[in-house]
Amino acid sequence: MKKADVVVIGAGINGCTSAYQLVKDSVKNVLLIEKGFVASGPTGLSSGIIRQHYTVKTLAEMARDSLAVFKDFEEEIGGGAGFVQTGVVFFCGEKNREPFEKSVAMHQTLGIRERILSPEELKEVEPSLHTDDIGCGAYEPDGGYADPAMAANSYSLAAREAGLEVMTDTEVIGLKVQGNRICGVETDKGEISTETVVNAAGPWGSRIAAMVGVEIPIKASRHPVVNMLRPPEWRTSTPVWIDMVNGWYFKPEGLDALMVGSIQP
């Protein structure tokens, strides 16, 4: 029987970074299991927006610290993440202006560079912007976007070089429990003996948890995304735009295209 000190289930960005951190912290015999290939789930389909604007303080702090990693990714992790610093602009309607401004004030106390912009100032950033229904905006110059699949594979490779074992095309079909503790992971390739499991299976995480009688209220949803070619007269540099009024985001794809995605399912 195969043995591992820690088994990480799911090789998306969360699973790969968890495995990387474990081996970096000198945990021996870490095994990463993935039913497809690295970044074959939501990570590979992510729009890859890197931003720090969150209404929850803990998430904003995590985003702030993560952004620092993306900025020095090659030096800190190795490989690439495809990070492009374009800046990120959020904007909201008048009725949400007060909580929006409170969020920005909270971000500033955390050392996040962000400031409030009036509709007129937003228009200066992008003259094509429709501002009639905008109450205010928030601009953070340090954000942008990255390549999620590239980042996950870079983490996976760096972890492998440090001793991580990766099993792809391997599906978890059960978790073994003795008393009230994990003692093994059953896969379609055989059983693995372990006392520690990290569930990083994303939208399949509730299915993994249910194998030991734990209920996690995860509900997956689909968000349509389309890449649109910009007309030749509008190919200037543009930040990532997050439209909280109508529920859309607009991410530059180089200078000639925009990725347009829905915030709502």
Side-chain angles (χ1 to χ4, degrees):
M1 184 187 299
K2 200 174 188 66
K3 292 184 178 181
D5 291 336
V6 181
V7 172
V8 180
I9 302 173
I13 190 66
N14 291 307
C16 290
T17 52
S18 297
Y20 170 82
Q21 200 63 50
L22 285 165
V23 296
K24 184 180 178 184
D25 290 347
S26 301
V27 177
K28 305 297 182 184
N29 198 12
V30 180
L31 176 61
L32 177 62
I33 300 177
E34 166 58 46
K35 68 176 183 176
F37 51 87
V38 173
S40 59
T43 292
L45 298 173
S46 169
S47 298
I49 294 173
I50 307 291
R51 44 96 172 194
Q52 303 165 93
H53 187 105
Y54 287 91
T55 56
V56 178
K57 181 182 177 183
T58 305
L59 291 178
E61 291 173 320
M62 291 167 66
R64 175 202 61 197
D65 296 346
S66 297
L67 176 61
V69 175
F70 277 99
K71 282 188 169 183
D72 297 315
F73 196 90
E74 187 172 346
E75 181 178 338
E76 185 166 340
I77 310 300
F83 177 63
V84 180
Q85 185 176 337
T86 62
V88 177
V89 180
F90 275 75
F91 56 84
C92 69
E94 188 61 42
K95 67 177 182 178
N96 295 317
R97 181 176 188 136
E98 185 177 347
F100 190 82
E101 290 178 337
K102 285 183 179 178
S103 290
V104 172
M106 177 264 287
H107 297 154
Q108 291 171 342
T109 67
L110 301 177
I112 295 172
R113 293 202 303 157
E114 188 176 39
R115 62 189 176 93
I116 293 291
L117 298 180
S118 67
E120 292 73 27
E121 289 172 314
L122 289 170
K123 196 82 170 175
E124 291 177 9
V125 177
E126 179 48 70
S128 300
L129 187 67
H130 175 83
T131 58
D132 291 356
D133 55 357
I134 294 178
C136 68
Y139 173 60
E140 55 166 282
D142 297 321
Y145 63 92
D147 184 321
M150 183 189 296
N153 276 280
S154 292
Y155 268 109
S156 172
L157 181 59
R160 288 187 199 202
E161 291 174 347
L164 173 72
E165 181 181 355
V166 180
M167 292 176 64
T168 54
D169 296 315
T170 303
E171 185 173 358
V172 173
I173 58 176
L175 297 178
K176 298 193 71 176
V177 176
Q178 192 170 43
N180 64 346
R181 291 194 59 84
I182 289 284
C183 65
V185 176
E186 295 180 279
T187 78
D188 58 358
K189 302 288 175 61
E191 190 176 318
I192 299 140
S193 173
T194 186
E195 294 183 352
T196 305
V197 170
V198 177
N199 180 0
W204 300 279
S206 57
R207 186 186 307 173
I208 298 297
M211 294 175 180
V212 288
V214 176
E215 182 180 352
I216 301 177
I218 294 175
K219 183 180 179 181
S221 60
R222 294 183 180 274
H223 298 254
V225 173
V226 61
N227 282 328
M228 306 183 76
L229 193 65
R230 286 195 267 169
E233 64 272 16
W234 186 46
R235 291 188 178 175
T236 54
S237 179
T238 180
V240 173
W241 294 89
I242 314 289
D243 175 3
M244 304 302 291
V245 178
N246 299 297
W248 295 91
Y249 61 85
F250 306 83
K251 186 194 84 172
E253 291 281 301
L255 288 176
D256 61 354
L258 275 181
M259 175 182 285
V260 183
S262 171
I263 296 172
Q264 301 299 327

